Structure formats: structure tokens, C-alpha cells
Amino acid sequence: MVAGLLKNILVVFLSVLLLEGCIAKAENEITDRVKVALTQSNYHMLSRQFTERVSLSINHENFLYSKTQATFVMREFFRQYPPVNFQYLHQGIMKSGRHYTLGTYKSYGKNYSLAILLVPHQKDFLIEKLIFVETF
């Protein structure tokens, strides 16, 4: 009886570890794709990571866009502020369970703090919200 209970606990524990490993891998894959897109001004690659409705905030101007509209907004952003450097600073999970990533985006003469809010989608994650705030 005790051996069966311990066996069940071990199975649950190992399943949780495996699930966490799969989630971490999926999160790393999207953050890798996003980093490539941001460093190469590749708005098409970036938009493939968007949910169907994505919130974009650039210098406190917040708008909810369709995936197609957000693609054009990011195209204009990259045209105005081409990347010089991008790096991640921190990744985590909020109390609500949502995953987020913080980083810095540098362009010629402009520097931005960047926050990315991710949501689970099938076996991957997608970007639900991008927040660019100019820093001085």
C-alpha cells in the first residue's frame, strides 16, 4: 500500500518535471526566434510569434491590433528605429502564471526597455503584448 502510494507520487513528480522541461524549451524557442527577429528588423518573423490580437505599446501609446495590423506597425517601428543591439535581461513567470521576458532594444539615438508577455499556444508560446518604453 505504501509502496504503491510512493510509486504514484514519484510518477506525478516526474511528470511535473517533464512538463516543466517542455514548457521551458518552448519558451526558449520563442525567445530565440524573437531575438533574431528584433536584431534583424524582421517584422514578418516577429509577427509569426503574435497571437491573433496583440497589444502593442510604444512610449505609453497602447493599441490592440490584429496580427496583420501589428505587422505593419512593427515594420514602421523598425524603419524608424533600426536595431543596433538587443539583449534579454530577465525571464520569469508572473503570479497569474503568465510568462514574460524583459530586455533592452537599442537603436541609433534611441534606447528602449522592452517587455514581452507570452501566452501558451498549443505546444508553444505566442506574444500577447509587446511594450517598448524609451529610456534616457
Side-chain angles (χ1 to χ4, degrees):
M1 170 107 170
V2 173
L5 180 62
L6 289 175
K7 181 180 175 185
N8 288 340
I9 291 172
L10 181 61
V11 167
V12 169
F13 179 73
L14 291 175
S15 297
V16 168
L17 285 179
L18 180 62
L19 180 61
E20 285 180 359
C22 290
I23 289 171
K25 182 179 181 219
E27 185 179 9
N28 288 338
E29 288 174 0
I30 187 172
T31 54
D32 290 345
R33 291 188 301 260
V34 169
K35 184 173 186 174
V36 169
L38 289 170
T39 56
Q40 296 178 357
S41 296
N42 190 333
Y43 55 91
H44 285 296
M45 180 183 227
L46 184 63
S47 69
R48 285 193 293 268
Q49 314 312 311
F50 291 160
T51 56
E52 288 304 314
R53 305 280 296 160
V54 61
S55 176
L56 296 181
S57 176
I58 301 173
N59 287 330
H60 307 291
E61 291 186 23
N62 304 309
F63 295 99
L64 185 62
Y65 295 104
S66 70
K67 190 175 191 175
T68 303
Q69 291 170 318
T71 302
F72 291 113
V73 170
M74 290 310 303
R75 179 182 71 181
E76 282 306 307
F77 180 83
F78 288 141
R79 281 185 182 167
Q80 289 181 343
Y81 311 109
V84 173
N85 188 15
F86 173 75
Q87 65 181 11
Y88 288 120
L89 300 176
H90 179 73
Q91 293 180 333
I93 302 173
M94 298 186 300
K95 288 182 183 178
S96 65
R98 292 202 146 149
H99 293 243
Y100 68 91
T101 302
L102 304 175
T104 57
Y105 179 92
K106 295 183 181 192
S107 183
Y108 298 102
K110 299 263 185 179
N111 296 323
Y112 292 90
S113 292
L114 175 62
I116 304 169
L117 181 62
L118 304 170
V119 293
H121 178 74
Q122 296 173 359
K123 293 183 180 182
D124 203 357
F125 284 87
L126 292 176
I127 298 170
E128 181 178 60
K129 188 169 194 170
L130 272 178
I131 303 168
F132 289 88
V133 178
E134 188 174 356
T135 57
F136 300 97

